Amino acid sequence: MPLRDLIPRNNGSRDLSTHRSEANPFLALHREMNRLFDDAFRTFDVAPFGSQAIGWPNLELNETENEVNVIAELPGLEEKDVNVELRDGVLTISGEKRSETEDKERRFSERYYGRFERSVPVEDVDQDKVEASFKNGVLTVTLPKLPTAQHKVKRIAISGK
């Protein structure tokens, strides 16, 4: 007798995929292990394969007719820990954070080290007038646009069709 003859027909009251997974103990174990690891990573605020770390630090981009502002949130960092470069039309913000804690009474020590780098393509900016400021863990980079770039913008009317 074929195995599919043993599986009840779907009469609309049951989800067949759920029934099949419960019938296979290895599939059920596999799903539970995946759920266990997902919950563990979620609990410790650590994303598997660094999916949340890709977007760190958070960047905010504001563009006006005259300039582009890039604002990066860098909590816990100091100005000396951050490097800002503009090369070939790409603004790069990079840095590293190091922290060491040691408590000899409780025989406890902890070290943390992390590097980051974010790149943002920018066009038609005056490289000689770029400014950066750092205050309270917030980096603000102001990139003035070239006069020729200010005239390149064409407003497009939106029709209601």
Side-chain angles (χ1 to χ4, degrees), residues 73-96:
E73 299 175 9
L74 303 166
L77 293 178
E78 297 177 14
E79 185 177 339
K80 64 181 172 78
D81 300 327
V82 181
N83 184 32
V84 180
E85 291 182 354
L86 180 61
R87 182 183 305 152
D88 299 326
V90 177
L91 175 71
T92 302
I93 301 171
S94 61
E96 62 183 317

Side-chain angles (χ1 to χ4, degrees), residues 35-46:
R35 187 176 302 127
L36 174 72
F37 280 107
D38 288 344
D39 289 344
F41 281 121
R42 198 173 304 117
T43 302
F44 294 115
D45 198 23
V46 176

Side-chain angles (χ1 to χ4, degrees), residues 134-160:
F134 191 88
K135 184 177 180 183
N136 296 330
V138 178
L139 172 71
T140 304
V141 181
T142 304
L143 304 126
K145 290 183 179 179
L146 292 170
T148 57
Q150 296 174 14
H151 300 292
K152 285 184 179 180
V153 177
K154 179 184 176 188
R155 303 272 181 214
I156 300 171
I158 301 172
S159 65

